[in-house]
Amino acid sequence: MGLFGRKKKTFDHEIGFKLLGENKFQEALEYFQLLPIEEWSEENMMTISGTANAFNGLKQYAKARAAYEVMLSFKLTRNNKGLKMTVLGGISNTYLDEKNWKKTLEYANLMLSIEPNNIMVNTLKDQSLLMLKNEKILGKAESKNSFDDSES
């Protein structure tokens, strides 16, 4: 017998996804974590994905990325372009949420190497480039202003 008195194979990840859909990220995480990390495998990718999404919703981005990285390590993900794009997109979104434009751009470029004509990823790349350019411009303006202030 496994979780909730059921066999492990009947673990219902849909319960966790329902909680995610209701923005109950902590409850969803607790549900998904009923399946121990040691038992993570290709067979329960939905549970791992749910765990990553719950961490993302809780703004625990490094933990979300760690779960996504586990998914990337599976042969199933490596051999399925759509699944690989989804997982890479999940990682990219954690960096986007952190406003880490360089890493967002890195993952956008990685996804574009798989699907060069993906409009959403091209938009993500453009947004990242624009934000990096803005940071560079603002950084120059701030350093100029701090220099001007020190002359007063």
Side-chain angles (χ1 to χ4, degrees):
M1 292 296 227
L3 308 168
F4 300 111
R6 293 178 276 169
K7 293 180 182 176
K8 279 189 225 180
K9 297 270 185 206
T10 63
F11 182 78
D12 188 357
H13 60 269
E14 290 184 25
I15 293 170
F17 280 100
K18 182 178 185 299
L19 292 167
L20 287 174
E22 296 169 355
N23 293 330
K24 296 178 180 176
F25 302 116
Q26 186 61 45
E27 290 177 48
L29 179 62
E30 290 167 9
Y31 182 78
F32 288 123
Q33 288 183 328
L34 291 172
L35 183 70
I37 290 174
E38 302 80 41
E39 294 182 26
W40 281 8
S41 68
E42 286 187 6
E43 291 178 0
N44 42 47
M45 290 262 290
M46 293 301 290
T47 301
I48 302 167
S49 174
T51 301
N53 289 323
F55 278 130
N56 198 36
L58 293 168
K59 299 182 182 349
Q60 296 179 22
Y61 302 118
K63 290 179 179 180
R65 283 191 292 271
Y68 287 126
E69 292 290 343
V70 169
M71 292 173 62
L72 276 180
S73 73
F74 296 143
K75 184 178 180 181
L76 177 66
T77 307
R78 292 190 309 268
N79 293 339
N80 181 315
K81 184 171 88 169
L83 183 56
K84 188 173 187 175
M85 287 291 290
T86 299
V87 174
L88 291 172
I91 295 171
S92 175
N93 284 337
T94 65
Y95 288 119
L96 180 68
D97 290 341
E98 290 177 325
K99 297 180 178 29
N100 184 335
W101 310 118
K102 285 184 182 181
K103 292 299 276 187
T104 303
L105 179 60
E106 178 184 324
Y107 276 87
N109 284 330
L110 185 55
M111 289 186 288
L112 287 171
S113 73
I114 299 166
E115 284 187 21
N117 297 321
N118 186 305
I119 294 170
M120 290 180 65
V121 179
N122 274 298
T123 301
L124 178 65
K125 178 182 178 178
D126 291 345
Q127 178 188 7
S128 300
L129 286 169
L130 180 62
M131 296 308 291
L132 282 168
K133 186 175 181 179
N134 286 344
E135 280 183 352
K136 189 174 184 180
I137 291 168
L138 289 175
K140 285 181 180 178
E142 286 174 7
S143 65
K144 183 180 183 310
N145 286 342
S146 65
F147 179 74
D148 290 344
D149 292 343
S150 64
E151 291 180 355
S152 310

